Amino acid sequence: FPTRRSSDLIGISESASFDEAKKIYREKLMYYHPDRRNDNPVLQKVAKEKTERLISEWAKIEKWHEKPL
């Protein structure tokens, strides 16, 4: 994977396949989705920040994955 930070933030091991990483990413994205935190504005804000970071790090992983060897 492109950076250790990306894989650590998303919670995937560096030896995970792209499909395994994608599954974990989607699970984390659903867990931290701001719409699931409607009852508490503070948690909703934190969830939104985490979601944005997840999306940003995933974009790096996808870009790295699509790059030809």
Side-chain angles (χ1 to χ4, degrees):
F1 286 100
T3 65
R4 183 165 180 87
R5 183 176 183 277
S6 295
S7 59
D8 286 345
L9 180 68
I10 295 175
I12 53 177
S13 70
E14 292 183 18
S15 63
S17 71
F18 183 74
D19 290 333
E20 291 170 331
K22 190 174 189 178
K23 180 181 176 189
I24 293 169
Y25 162 72
R26 287 182 175 174
E27 289 172 357
K28 293 268 185 175
L29 197 58
M30 290 298 294
Y31 180 80
Y32 287 115
H33 198 279
D35 290 345
R36 293 182 172 242
R37 309 284 186 250
N38 285 336
D39 56 334
N40 187 331
V42 174
L43 288 178
Q44 192 175 22
K45 182 180 177 186
V46 170
K48 183 177 180 182
E49 291 169 359
K50 280 205 176 253
T51 300
E52 289 171 356
R53 281 190 292 189
L54 282 169
I55 291 169
S56 171
E57 295 301 319
W58 183 253
K60 293 176 189 175
I61 291 173
E62 278 190 316
K63 187 176 179 181
W64 173 81
H65 178 71
E66 293 171 357
K67 190 168 37 170
L69 296 175

